[in-house]
Structure formats: structure tokens, C-alpha cells
């Protein structure tokens, strides 16, 4: 049973400056909802209620967002505008939030290691809120949990990407398992390769077994001083302990301007359709 989801949200979000100077990138909205709230709702959809958030300096808006706002609530109470708060209040009521601050932004692997005191000795999910995935059926985390329950090892979400984009992603190689068309036993992975015979990219969803923390503690920083989660996952993969799942859903890289615009258009169209119906 996976009970906790870790949200690394301490990065600088430099690609969104100046917007991300005082507002955390993870709080930028697609329509009216911040990216991080989409992520928390996805975790809830998978039955996960404990949200462990790795924050950093200048990220206090995250804590305020997932907290009661008595003044606002009492102002809106009994008015025609009260319903605007229902969605976030529902999320707050169903979840427990814990926080830890990453002191230095030393990469995703370091951010996950920073979350260790919030997770402890149990398998957990990791969700990068800037990878927004809209699924018609079960959410990506739900799809991954089905695989975790079967294989009981680390699970990563993977997606085919255009060959020319491989240098922006962690790229994996693996073999299909159990006659499936979407599930791979991963045997190799490289962070941002220049060339590869694979175009299967890791996206921002992971289910990790807790041994990942001890592995991360031994991973040396790369040339940019960052600790990569890919290096730690490779060690698990070499032991046969990583499964990659090609998920069903529309994924938007909201850490990039193009992806953010695509996501906004996608959700605006969806809203328009729901209003017409
Ligand atoms: P990114 O590399 O996309 O985020 O990290 P960034 O560094 O904030 O963005 P740019 O490249 O400067 O525009 C993916 C996720 O990992 C978190 C980020 O907050 C984001 O959600 N992260 C990254 C951390 O929490 N700590 C880090 O040291 C690095």
C-alpha cells in the first residue's frame, strides 16, 4: 500500500522568470488551478492522502495554498461566490501535508533525499507537478500502482518522445515483460544523452522503494554539482528492480513555455466542452 507522495518543488524555475521570482513555479495556474494542486488531486485519485512537499526559499505560497484561509472563507460564506472555494477545501480536507526545505538546490535526486524524513522506510510515490498529465481513464499514478502491486519494485512512467528531444530527458532501455505492450523491465538508463537507440523518456512520476535513499546517499554529484535520480535508479535497474510503464494520457511539460501553453489550451478546450454539454 502506498500512502505517501513526495512532491519535489524546491527548484528555481528559471525558465519562468520573472513570473517565478516570487511565485513558485509549481503554483503557476493552468486556468484557475495551480500545477501542484493538479498533482495533489492525482495522488488522491490513487488513494494517497499523505502529501510530502519539498520546498525551498520563497515557496511559502505553497503552504498557504494548502491551508485554511479563515478571513477569505468568512468573507465568502453565504455569498454566491462561496462555491469557488469548494474544490481546494475538499483537497485540504482529504489530505495531510508535511513539508521539508531543501537548503541547496542540488538536483532532483538531492530533493528526493531531502524528503527522506517525511517518508521513512516505506515505498512512496514521487510526482513532479510541472509534468501535468490528463488521463481519460485512471490517472498515471493509478496506472503505476497497478504495476507496483504486481512487481513490488520501483516503477517509472515512460513515454515515447521525438528523437530530437532525447537530450532533454532521462532515456531508458528495457525489455517488454509478460507479453505486455506497455510494461518494460528496465536494464539501462542515461540522463540527457546526445545519442541513443531508444526514445523512451522518463517523465515526472515514480514509485520508489525506500532503498533508494541509501543509494542516493552514495551517488556522487555530476559535473553541475547535481545528484541525479537517474543514477540511483540505474543501480536498482541493474539489479532488475525497475519497471517502466508506458501510460495512457496526455502529458504536458509545464516546466517549458510551450508545454505550459499547450496545457492551458487543452484544459480551456475541455472546459469549453463541459460548458456546452
Ligand atoms: P526542473 O529542473 O524542471 O526544475 O526540476 P527547475 O530547476 O525549477 O526549472 P528550471 O530548469 O530552472 O526552469 C523538476 C522538478 O524538481 C524540482 C523542481 O521544483 C521541479 O518540480 N527540483 C529540482 C527540486 O525540488 N530541487 C532541485 O534541486 C531541483
Amino acid at each position: 500500500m502506498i500512502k505517501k507522495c513526495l512532491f519535489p518543488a524546491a527548484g528555481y524555475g528559471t525558465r519562468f522568470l520573472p513570473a517565478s521570482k516570487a511565485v513558485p513555479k509549481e503554483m503557476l495556474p493552468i486556468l484557475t488551478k495551480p500545477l501542484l494542486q493538479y498533482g495533489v488531486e492525482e495522488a488522491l485519485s490513487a488513494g494517497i492522502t499523505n502529501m510530502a512537499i519539498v520546498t525551498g526559499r520563497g515557496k511559502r505560497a505553497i503552504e498557504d495554498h494548502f491551508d485554511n484561509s479563515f478571513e477569505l472563507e468568512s468573507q465568502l460564506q453565504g455569498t454566491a461566490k462561496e462555491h469557488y472555494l469548494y474544490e481546494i477545501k475538499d483537497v485540504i480536507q482529504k489530505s495531510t501535508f508535511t513539508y521539508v526545505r531543501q537548503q541547496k538546490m542540488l538536483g532532483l535526486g538531492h530533493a528526493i533525499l531531502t524528503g527522506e524524513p517525511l517518508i521513512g522506510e516505506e515505498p512512496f510515490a514521487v510526482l513532479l507537478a510541472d509534468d501535468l498529465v490528463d488521463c481519460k481513464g485512471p490517472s498515471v499514478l493509478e496506472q503505476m500502482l497497478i504495476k507496483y502491486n504486481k512487481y513490488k519494485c520501483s516503477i517509472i512512467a515512460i513515454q515515447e518522445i521525438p528523437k530530437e528531444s532525447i537530450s532533454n530527458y532521462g532515456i531508458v532501455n528495457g525489455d517488454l515483460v509478460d507479453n505486455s505492450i506497455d510494461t518494460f523491465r528496465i536494464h539501462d538508463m542515461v540522463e540527457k544523452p546526445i545519442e541513443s537507440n531508444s526514445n523512451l523518456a522518463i517523465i515526472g512520476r515514480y514509485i520508489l522503494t525506500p532503498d533508494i535513499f541509501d543509494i542516493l546517499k552514495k551517488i556522487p554529484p555530476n559535473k553541475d554539482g547535481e545528484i541525479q535520480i537517474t543514477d540511483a535508479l540505474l543501480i536498482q535497474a541493474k539489479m532488475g528492480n525497475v519497471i517502466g510503464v508506458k501510460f495512457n494520457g496526455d502529458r504536458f511539460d509545464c516546466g517549458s513555455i510551450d508545454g505550459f501553453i499547450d496545457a492551458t489550451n487543452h484544459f480551456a478546450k475541455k472546459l469549453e466542452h463541459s460548458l456546452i454539454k
Side-chain angles (χ1 to χ4, degrees), residues 191-208:
E191 185 63 24
K192 303 192 170 91
I194 296 162
E195 274 183 16
S196 174
N197 60 359
S198 167
N199 68 336
L200 284 176
I202 307 175
I203 68 123
R205 299 287 182 284
Y206 309 77
I207 291 174
L208 300 174

Side-chain angles (χ1 to χ4, degrees), residues 8-15 25-26 102 105-108 111 128 130 255:
Y12 290 122
T14 42
R15 283 170 287 174
K25 172 177 77 169
E26 298 76 11
Q102 189 183 14
M105 307 330 163
L106 296 178
L108 181 55
L128 304 188
D130 49 7

Side-chain angles (χ1 to χ4, degrees), residues 98-249:
T98 53
Y99 298 91
V100 64
R101 277 192 181 215
Q102 189 183 14
Q103 301 288 331
K104 284 185 183 165
M105 307 330 163
L106 296 178
L108 181 55
H110 183 265
I112 291 173
L113 188 53
T114 304
E116 185 183 14
L118 304 181
I119 301 295
E121 269 291 310
E122 55 187 289
F124 61 105
V126 176
L127 192 153
L128 304 188
D130 49 7
D131 256 338
L132 181 54
V133 187
D134 187 35
C135 299
K136 291 198 178 75
S139 67
V140 196
L141 274 185
E142 282 178 283
Q143 295 173 46
M144 293 169 75
L145 275 183
I146 292 169
K147 302 294 176 187
Y148 175 77
N149 289 333
K150 179 164 183 187
Y151 295 100
K152 299 284 181 210
C153 65
S154 288
I155 311 287
I156 55 178
I158 53 177
Q159 180 183 40
E160 279 182 43
I161 54 153
K163 272 269 179 197
E164 57 274 18
S165 305
I166 59 169
S167 59
N168 297 323
Y169 290 90
I171 300 294
V172 300
N173 259 300
D175 302 311
L176 284 166
V177 284
D178 298 335
N179 295 322
S180 74
I181 49 165
D182 61 358
T183 309
F184 296 77
R185 177 85 54 189
I186 304 299
H187 54 71
D188 202 10
M189 62 180 82
V190 188
E191 185 63 24
K192 303 192 170 91
I194 296 162
E195 274 183 16
S196 174
N197 60 359
S198 167
N199 68 336
L200 284 176
I202 307 175
I203 68 123
R205 299 287 182 284
Y206 309 77
I207 291 174
L208 300 174
T209 50
D211 55 307
I212 200 79
F213 292 126
D214 281 339
I215 299 174
L216 278 168
K217 283 171 198 159
K218 292 181 193 133
I219 298 287
N222 68 5
K223 59 176 174 28
D224 301 320
E226 294 195 344
I227 295 170
Q228 300 287 352
I229 186 64
T230 322
D231 292 338
L233 277 167
L234 179 59
I235 291 174
Q236 287 190 330
K238 293 288 179 199
M239 296 187 286
N241 291 338
V242 178
I243 290 287
V245 185
K246 265 197 208 169
F247 57 92
N248 289 315

